[in-house]
């Protein structure tokens, strides 16, 4: 699912209006009817008081039009205009007139107005600001937003939570509405998926308002949300007459004294995601643990007892994943440097391999083209330097990806894969996956997919998706707290099955619910 920026949404608006020969008011009417149907389906006429807070732009216009539909269907409404500017958009005015024609007189709220009384079981519709927010709200509007939150009532935001900018962080965490639900027109917004702003969006849904599909199809976006539909075409089905050679021989390189577990996790993950053969390259201390923990894997040992000091092997791996538990000893740094001189094909660089690159910047030029770096935010900051907000973080990551011709996987909630100027936002996973070794497993998954012939970008996107899906399946059985890195490995098979399960027909869904 494409994620459009404000400029692209406005362009889609005007293209649609012109192509479909409709007025902007008719487009707003479509939007507000979609809002109404979504609410009506869930409320079924319930006598719950609905307080609408409308700004003076088109977001507010949506709110006024929604108020009209609600009132026409017998809902108890109270309309408040948050009068933060003397400007009024034409469609706002049109809908205000329609309310007045129905003898609905909105309260006009200014800086000195009393805050309306709202019960904890009431519903608040936040249509104060939409994607047109261009500066921080006035202090009195911020106070109003705080009061909305203090009511404890359910807050439904129209299009975006008011106060969030579409392209930058906000000045102060209090300057935006924390929405229980956001109804976004046509596509989700980037702010729904960023660590700093996701707190304002507990849940979201998209309402199709009939923007021109051709225009949307043709519009190139920087960001794309990756769900099952987008990821499924990446899957490479297995042929009947295949053998393990078809699925490559992966090499997992890492480990140091006390951190052999990371290599065990990556090696097991690499096998379970489908690599044909896997060899682990570890210091001497890793031989026994690996042979016991992963009998399916072969083991090569470095001459160093406790950490890797010289990487030598006569293997031609089809994919390499390096860095997990590696440590950053001086000899390990020179070993990795020499290894990168010889490594020409794309590989996975994670954990201490990334820390070594950050501490020895001249090694950055040795990253094989197309390689996949999998930092968590702290490791990313060591690579890129600090950032003022998530938007700058993404900008710097894209620049790094372009300059070093590599793919960056920013791990976390909504893991984001940056490949050049494009970013792919993963849409599964859960907080239970924030557990030791989860990243080691992801390295094993991506390396194992590379080993099976997936192109680097496909391996990164598919690996992240399978990792999240396995984590979600594990969480349904184990909950969040008990979920461990091994749980993710154990559920990878079910993740493949779930991914490949044909979509259920309507009757199958009904049968399942009745059963
Ligand atoms: N295709 C669609 O998605 C459609 C979206 N619709 C709705 O339109 C809004 C965007 O409307 P717009 O009028 O451009 O912006 P806002 O409603 O957010 O209005 C803000 C308004 O106020 C001015 N402004 C901005 N920041 C401030 C501030 N801090 N203080 C005072 N004034 C401010 C700004 O200049 C604007 O004029 C979108 O979100 C949807 O809800 C259409 O209804 C249908 C199609
Ligand atoms: K809003």
């Amino acid at each position: 699912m494409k994620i459009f920026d404000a400029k692209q949404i406005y362009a889609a608006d005007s293209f649609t209006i012109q192509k479909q020969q409709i007025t902007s008011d008719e487009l707003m009417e479509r939007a507000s009817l979609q809002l109404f149907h979504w609410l009506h389906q869930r409320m079924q006429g319930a006598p719950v008081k609905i307080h609408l807070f409308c700004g003076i732009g088109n977001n507010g216009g949506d709110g006024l039009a929604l108020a009209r539909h609600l009132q026409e269907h017998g809902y108890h409404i109270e309309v408040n205009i948050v009068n933060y500017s003397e400007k009024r958009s034409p469609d706002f005015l049109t809908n205000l007139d329609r309310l007045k024609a129905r003898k609905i007189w909105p309260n006009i709220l200014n800086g000195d107005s009393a805050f309306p009384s709202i019960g904890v079981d009431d519903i608040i519709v936040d249509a104060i600001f939409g994607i047109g927010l261009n500066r921080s709200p006035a202090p009195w509007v911020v106070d109003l937003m705080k009061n909305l939150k203090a009511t404890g009532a359910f807050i439904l935001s129209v299009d975006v939570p008011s106060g969030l900018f579409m392209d930058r962080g906000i000045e102060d965490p209090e300057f935006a509405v924390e929405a229980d639900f956001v109804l976004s027109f046509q596509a989700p917004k980037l702010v729904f998926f960023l660590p700093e702003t996701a707190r304002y969006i507990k849940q979201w849904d998209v309402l199709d308002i009939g923007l021109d599909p051709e225009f949307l199809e043709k519009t190139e976006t920087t960001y794309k949300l990756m769900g099952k539909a987008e990821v499924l075409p990446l899957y490479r089905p297995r042929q009947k007459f295949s053998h393990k050679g078809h699925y490559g021989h992966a090499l997992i390189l890492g480990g140091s004294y006390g951190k052999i577990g990371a290599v065990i996790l990556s090696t097991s993950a690499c096998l379970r995601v489908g690599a044909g053969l896997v060899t682990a390259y570890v210091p001497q201390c890793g031989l026994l643990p690996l042979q016991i923990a992963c009998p399916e894997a072969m083991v090569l040992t470095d001459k160093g007892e406790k950490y890797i000091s010289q990487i030598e092997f006569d293997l031609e791996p089809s994919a390499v994943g390096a860095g997990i538990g590696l440590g950053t000893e001086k000899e390990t740094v020179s070993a990795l440097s020499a290894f990168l001189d010889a490594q020409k094909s794309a590989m996975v660089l994670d954990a201490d391999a990334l820390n070594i690159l950050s501490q020895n910047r001249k090694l950055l030029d040795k990253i094989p083209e197309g390689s996949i770096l999998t930092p968590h935010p702290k490791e990313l900051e060591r690579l890129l330097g600090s950032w003022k907000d998530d938007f700058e973080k993404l900008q710097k990551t894209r620049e790094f990806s372009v300059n070093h011709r590599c793919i960056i996987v920013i791990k976390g909630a909504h893991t984001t894969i940056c490949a050049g100027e494009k970013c792919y936002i993963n849409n599964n996973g859960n907080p239970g996956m924030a557990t030791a070794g989860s990243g080691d497993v992801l390295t094993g998954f991506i390396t194992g997919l590379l080993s099976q012939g997936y192109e680097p970008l496909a391996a990164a996107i598919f690996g992240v998706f399978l990792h999240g899906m396995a984590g979600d399946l594990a969480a349904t059985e184990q909950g969040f707290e008990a979920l461990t890195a091994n749980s993710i490995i154990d559920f990878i098979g079910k993740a493949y099955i779930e991914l490949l399960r044909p979509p259920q027909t309507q009757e199958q869904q009904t049968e399942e619910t009745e059963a």
Side-chain angles (χ1 to χ4, degrees), residues 59 126-130 157-163:
N59 195 247
D126 155 36
I128 304 170
F129 291 110
S157 283
V158 173
D159 209 19
V160 286
S162 296

Side-chain angles (χ1 to χ4, degrees), residues 354 357-359 361 364 375-397 399-400 404 408 410:
L354 299 177
L357 293 177
S358 304
Q359 291 157 10
R361 315 276 313 169
L364 292 176
H376 56 55
K378 203 72 213 115
E379 291 161 342
L380 182 68
E381 194 176 12
R382 291 187 201 119
L383 264 181
L384 304 183
S386 59
W387 49 77
K388 70 176 185 312
D389 59 26
D390 284 326
F391 295 88
E392 190 185 36
K393 173 187 75 179
L394 290 166
Q395 180 55 39
K396 290 178 86 165
T397 305
E399 279 163 14
F400 186 96
H404 296 285
I408 314 264
I410 310 174

Side-chain angles (χ1 to χ4, degrees), residues 111-126:
D112 52 4
S113 310
F115 182 73
S117 75
I118 295 176
V120 66
D121 298 326
D122 294 355
I123 289 177
I124 291 167
V125 171
D126 155 36

Side-chain angles (χ1 to χ4, degrees), residues 350-371:
D350 184 22
D352 283 329
L354 299 177
N355 293 327
I356 288 174
L357 293 177
S358 304
Q359 291 157 10
N360 305 273
R361 315 276 313 169
K362 60 184 184 326
L363 298 186
L364 292 176
D365 298 335
K366 298 185 176 188
I367 299 172
E369 184 165 352
S371 286

